[in-house]
Amino acid sequence: MKKRLVWILVCAALAGCNEKNEQATTPAAGSKAYGYLEELSLGASGIGARPTGTEAETRAANWIVDNLTGWGYTPQLIPFTYTRKAQQMQSQNVEVVLPGQSDEILIIGAHYDSTGVDVGSEGATDNAASVAAMLATAEALAGKTLPLTVRLVFFGAEENGVNGSKAYAASLDAETLSRVRGMVNYDTVVGGDIMYLHSAHSDVNEYNCSDPQKYSYSTQLRERLQAVGEQMPGVSFSVHPAIPGYPAGETGSWSDHGSFACLGIPIAYLEATNFNINGQNGYDGYSQSTHPELWDCFDAAANSACDRESEQQWGEIWHTGADRLDKLETLFPGRIKQQLSTATELLIRFLKQPELTKA
């Protein structure tokens, strides 16, 4: 009863909020997202691991296209080439446009390839869950006209050099760039102990941009997503504390948002990890959880390994044998469904009320 009362009060405060539609849409979208996560990541019944440059990566791209087409969209499969270790390689991005009342653009991106298959990873958190959230969002918003035009982009070849997002960003002409209000990157949005929202680093040197003068480290998009998140009862999105080299809430260029920040586009980045852990290289977010089964020995008082010299696991999920649904559901019963539903609802709510100003 309390949750429903809070919901009604929140709805009353929001222009255009329709309780019946929201109540019916977002829980269903979260449930559907989990189904898409199973279809994409489970090796026994779905596509499974999607190593960059393999047939499985291509199959995942086609699966994304098929889903979007089934909901009445006209997705584009965009091939690109890149060089890896002096060898020319091929992959593809998938783009779908959700119409808006304005021709100003929001780009929402997530990569669909994975790595770590040699140690048993099926790429559930990295990054099938983000793809699933975007697909469920597209399904929930099919047939609707949003405030801004939205481009959902599913990037290939992220794991060996963020090649898909580099290719996509490079393809944007000056006129299109003038209309882009922001880029939201969904990468590893489930699994870790805490869900964080980041903006780009305030030091352009962290991003190695070809033209540093264009670089944007605006916090506007991150702050808007935080504001939308505050409308979601019982949900909290954190900003990581300041750590050496990284002021609070600021992130590096290691994921698909990097190329867009270099073009002067404000970015936001959602990920689930734990910056409170003193991991192998300090408080850098690479240790995603304090769960004792993800450590050889975890010292709760120190929030670190019992023996830093001998520790091998370091609380990591990405790129390891823990990044598969069967393992994750054993470690964290119910967590993946809850976090995925939260990430999906955040995106749906944000796209309905972006309220961004021109940079």
Side-chain angles (χ1 to χ4, degrees):
M1 182 62 71
K2 285 184 178 180
K3 288 184 178 180
R4 180 168 176 79
L5 177 59
V6 170
W7 172 260
I8 293 171
L9 292 174
V10 170
C11 272
L14 297 176
C17 181
N18 183 305
E19 181 192 352
K20 181 178 179 181
N21 288 345
E22 290 292 336
Q23 289 279 48
T25 299
T26 50
S31 177
K32 288 182 177 181
Y34 192 82
Y36 301 137
L37 171 57
E38 291 179 316
E39 289 181 37
L40 182 54
S41 71
L42 288 177
S45 58
I47 294 174
R50 305 158 306 282
T52 314
T54 65
E55 182 273 338
E57 182 192 26
T58 303
R59 190 148 44 97
N62 292 328
W63 173 82
I64 293 168
V65 168
D66 288 345
N67 276 290
L68 293 167
T69 302
W71 301 322
Y73 292 106
T74 307
Q76 302 297 316
L77 195 66
I78 308 172
F80 63 89
T81 59
Y82 61 98
T83 302
R84 174 73 172 171
K85 297 181 178 178
Q87 180 181 359
Q88 191 173 67
M89 303 186 70
Q90 294 183 332
S91 186
Q92 54 281 310
N93 295 325
V94 178
E95 178 197 68
V96 66
V97 177
L98 281 59
Q101 296 171 356
S102 167
D103 66 355
E104 293 185 343
I105 298 168
L106 280 170
I107 297 171
I108 314 297
H111 74 89
Y112 60 87
D113 60 322
S114 69
T115 192
V117 65
D118 55 327
V119 292
S121 171
E122 291 186 333
T125 72
D126 188 12
N127 191 34
S130 301
V131 172
M134 285 174 52
L135 285 174
T137 295
E139 184 178 15
L141 297 177
K144 296 179 171 60
T145 300
L146 300 168
L148 302 181
T149 298
V150 175
R151 295 186 180 189
L152 299 182
V153 189
F154 303 83
F155 300 118
E158 188 269 353
E159 293 290 3
N160 65 353
V162 291
N163 296 288
S165 53
K166 285 179 180 177
Y168 186 85
S171 74
L172 300 174
D173 59 34
E175 191 278 329
T176 300
L177 283 172
S178 71
R179 294 188 284 116
V180 179
R181 295 281 72 82
M183 186 271 178
V184 178
N185 181 28
Y186 265 34
D187 196 357
T188 63
V189 300
V190 304
D193 295 338
I194 303 168
M195 298 181 78
Y196 294 92
L197 284 165
H198 309 306
S199 55
H201 203 290
S202 52
D203 183 355
V204 65
N205 294 319
E206 289 288 331
Y207 275 60
N208 194 30
C209 301
S210 59
D211 184 354
Q213 297 300 315
K214 294 180 179 179
Y215 180 71
S216 172
Y217 60 90
S218 169
T219 61
Q220 178 190 194
L221 190 54
R222 182 192 80 196
E223 290 165 355
R224 180 58 195 154
L225 283 163
Q226 287 176 284
V228 173
E230 289 171 358
Q231 301 166 2
M232 297 166 57
V235 171
S236 176
F237 295 98
S238 298
V239 171
H240 77 72
I243 56 177
Y246 291 86
E250 298 183 6
T251 190
S253 62
W254 40 73
S255 186
D256 287 312
H257 58 276
S259 295
F260 297 91
C262 284
L263 291 175
I265 298 171
I267 68 94
Y269 170 18
L270 178 66
E271 70 168 345
T273 184
N274 193 334
F275 283 90
N276 299 317
I277 297 171
N278 185 3
Q280 188 171 16
N281 297 300
Y283 297 91
D284 59 3
Y286 278 86
S287 295
Q288 291 96 61
S289 179
T290 62
H291 195 294
E293 288 191 32
L294 295 173
W295 296 78
D296 298 324
C297 179
F298 181 70
D299 182 343
N303 232 19
S304 187
C306 300
D307 182 351
R308 297 183 62 85
E309 294 298 321
S310 62
E311 180 66 38
Q312 296 294 313
Q313 296 190 77
W314 290 103
E316 295 180 357
I317 299 171
W318 314 325
H319 306 178
T320 76
D323 194 4
R324 47 189 301 137
L325 270 181
D326 52 3
K327 179 70 170 179
L328 290 164
E329 291 296 354
T330 300
L331 292 172
F332 310 112
R335 172 185 286 190
I336 305 305
K337 289 183 179 179
Q338 182 272 323
Q339 289 179 327
L340 183 55
S341 180
T342 296
T344 304
E345 182 171 353
L346 175 68
L347 191 52
I348 292 171
R349 284 173 174 257
F350 168 66
L351 295 182
K352 288 181 176 180
Q353 47 174 334
E355 298 181 15
L356 298 173
T357 59
K358 289 187 177 182

